[in-house]
Amino acid sequence: MFTLQPDLASIILLSLLALFVAIQVAYHLNIYGRFIKKTEHNESDYNWQGVSIVIAARSEYDNLQKLVPVLLEQDYPNYEILIVDDASWDGTTGYLEELEKMHPKIRGVFVTEEMKRNYQGKKLALSLGIKAAQNDIILLTDADCLPNSNQWIKHMVRPFHQSAGTEIVLGYSPFSKQGGMVNIISRMDNLYTGMTYFSYAMKKDPYMGVGRNLAYKRSLFFKHKGFASHLHIAPGDDDLFVQDAANSNNTEICLHPDGFVFTASKSNFGDWFSQKKRHNFVGKYYKFNHRFKLGMMALTHGLLWLTFIANAFKPESFGWAISLILLYWAIKWPLVHLGFKKLKQSGMSLWIPIFDVLYVGYNAVFGLVAVFGKQKKW
């Protein structure tokens, strides 16, 4: 297995494997290395600016009953809650009308089916909510989410106070721990996605955010004409807006656990797959440099494992190939573990080797969706 005189084919396969291992290791050290060193500054002596929490809710009566009390308990001196009833058919409308009477912090914005007839997704609802907001800092979440603490607003807003140039703050929204393989897949995917968009933002190259936990200036929203450039696309109210509005100087991140917003994952593979198709569909609308960077890392990762498998058919080189893979894992595993630990999910590190292989198929399938997928009804 460790012959010193492999044939030409073995040398070529080993050289390719070594190249892809080197690319992947360099990528992880360069991208995630910054992320794991990130520290949070928790100064609290600011003259806190007003904040408008905006939530688009389409028939979310049950979820709003859980979320609203948590939002009302936020430890923040000046904020309002705008809930946009996005043409709901359950008890959401009546519930919002009652909330408006009971709580001065809450205001409802009501969208009818007629109003959204020519719009898919929630971009119209969000646009109307942001337009109705009274404060310049907009903090977004979804009705099926729950902030991790009553300090959520402060942690998400703090970067705006730490730097006058900050216009966008990217937050993290983990999936709650539940039973089943779909939940594990969802959490692993979410962890890698979070680590990646945080790391790129730290490198002054932000490319996406997640609307379950995202903040930006209302003035920035109108400066870029809201979602106008991608209003014809149902998804993308978060990442495509970040694509339009984020730059090397105006984007910061929030990594404090008290600033996280939790949500439940899908419960079956069919719903999960449909959700991922919808999210990956917008990838084709990313800027070329982001498509290229993300695509090349997925491609070289897939080629790494394909060349390793090819070496398995060459006894002269397979032992050396195993050594290269062990070296790859020896560097990647601790690095990713530290990233998971920073996102308070270090227990998921046990799944890293398994998912490293599974991601070959995952990236192939959803890469094709991103390139060739067509928009379907939201």
Side-chain angles (χ1 to χ4, degrees):
M1 291 181 68
F2 287 91
T3 178
L4 296 177
Q5 294 182 325
D7 58 23
L8 180 60
S10 297
I11 293 173
I12 293 173
L13 287 173
L14 270 177
S15 298
L16 288 172
L17 178 59
L19 172 64
F20 298 136
V21 166
I23 291 173
Q24 285 289 308
V25 167
Y27 170 80
H28 283 77
L29 288 172
N30 182 42
I31 300 297
Y32 299 146
R34 296 169 181 261
F35 173 74
I36 63 176
K37 296 177 182 178
K38 172 73 173 176
T39 58
E40 288 288 297
H41 301 286
N42 299 322
E43 299 89 346
S44 58
D45 56 348
Y46 299 111
N47 182 20
W48 296 103
Q49 302 177 51
V51 173
S52 295
I53 301 172
V54 178
I55 302 158
R58 184 167 171 82
S59 297
E60 296 280 6
Y61 175 70
D62 291 337
N63 286 323
L64 286 173
Q65 286 186 307
K66 301 173 186 176
L67 173 62
V68 169
V70 177
L71 295 182
L72 289 171
E73 292 174 357
Q74 287 293 303
D75 177 22
Y76 197 83
N78 181 16
Y79 71 100
E80 63 173 350
I81 304 168
L82 287 99
I83 302 176
V84 186
D85 175 12
D86 193 13
S88 298
W89 54 84
D90 63 354
T92 297
T93 304
Y95 180 58
L96 286 183
E97 291 172 344
E98 289 300 314
L99 286 174
E100 285 187 300
K101 298 174 184 177
M102 297 168 56
H103 302 286
K105 286 184 180 295
I106 297 178
R107 289 194 291 132
V109 178
F110 300 90
V111 179
T112 66
E113 203 64 62
E114 179 67 21
M115 291 168 63
K116 67 179 281 113
R117 182 173 54 181
N118 296 320
Y119 299 93
Q120 296 187 57
K122 57 183 181 180
K123 291 177 182 176
L124 173 63
L126 288 175
S127 298
L128 294 175
I130 293 170
K131 183 178 180 181
Q134 295 178 344
N135 301 301
D136 193 34
I137 296 180
I138 303 297
L139 181 53
L140 302 174
T141 191
D142 288 340
D144 59 353
C145 296
L146 287 174
N148 197 35
S149 78
N150 70 346
Q151 301 297 306
W152 170 56
I153 300 178
K154 282 186 176 178
H155 286 293
M156 283 297 292
V157 170
R158 183 169 284 114
F160 291 109
H161 293 82
Q162 291 173 334
S163 172
T166 299
E167 296 179 292
I168 300 175
V169 177
L170 309 179
Y172 185 57
S173 179
F175 288 114
S176 304
K177 184 178 181 180
Q178 301 164 283
M181 196 63 197
V182 174
N183 180 253
I184 293 173
I185 293 173
S186 299
R187 290 165 64 203
M188 286 294 290
D189 179 51
N190 197 52
L191 281 164
Y192 276 112
T193 300
M195 286 175 57
T196 304
Y197 74 72
F198 281 142
S199 298
Y200 271 86
M202 291 177 65
K203 284 177 62 64
K204 304 299 181 182
D205 188 22
Y207 73 93
M208 70 163 283
V210 174
R212 300 191 301 271
N213 197 10
L214 176 65
Y216 47 74
K217 294 287 188 70
R218 182 174 182 268
S219 52
L220 180 72
F221 181 80
F222 289 113
K223 176 183 176 182
H224 287 270
K225 299 181 180 179
F227 306 124
S229 68
H230 48 90
L231 197 59
H232 59 291
I233 306 166
D237 50 272
D238 42 18
D239 49 355
L240 292 185
F241 178 76
V242 172
Q243 281 278 308
D244 281 348
N247 59 51
S248 60
N249 299 313
N250 74 346
T251 305
E252 296 292 340
I253 68 176
C254 171
L255 285 180
H256 197 287
D258 285 345
F260 292 175
V261 171
F262 279 84
T263 190
S265 67
K266 297 297 183 182
S267 59
N268 62 73
F269 279 103
D271 289 344
W272 172 80
F273 189 77
S274 297
Q275 181 186 58
K276 291 304 300 180
K277 281 200 303 181
R278 187 171 70 243
H279 290 168
N280 282 274
F281 167 77
V282 302
K284 68 173 70 178
Y285 299 101
Y286 283 9
K287 296 173 183 176
F288 173 78
N289 68 308
H290 294 139
R291 297 200 311 271
F292 179 79
K293 291 175 184 177
L294 297 171
M296 284 302 297
M297 295 324 301
L299 176 62
T300 55
H301 175 259
L303 291 173
L304 181 155
W305 284 107
L306 289 177
T307 52
F308 174 75
I309 293 172
N311 273 285
F313 294 95
K314 305 292 292 185
E316 302 88 347
S317 61
F318 190 49
W320 299 104
I322 291 176
S323 298
L324 285 171
I325 288 296
L326 290 176
L327 174 64
Y328 165 70
W329 271 343
I331 298 173
K332 177 174 179 175
W333 199 340
L335 196 64
V336 175
H337 167 73
L338 290 173
F340 286 8
K341 186 176 180 180
K342 186 166 285 291
L343 295 176
K344 304 302 177 184
Q345 296 193 53
S346 58
M348 296 297 290
S349 300
L350 296 174
W351 292 95
I352 291 173
I354 296 173
F355 276 83
D356 200 67
V357 178
L358 293 178
Y359 265 115
V360 176
Y362 172 95
N363 287 329
V365 171
F366 290 113
L368 291 173
V369 169
V371 175
F372 301 107
K374 295 181 179 180
Q375 179 167 259
K376 296 184 179 180
K377 185 174 178 59
W378 181 260

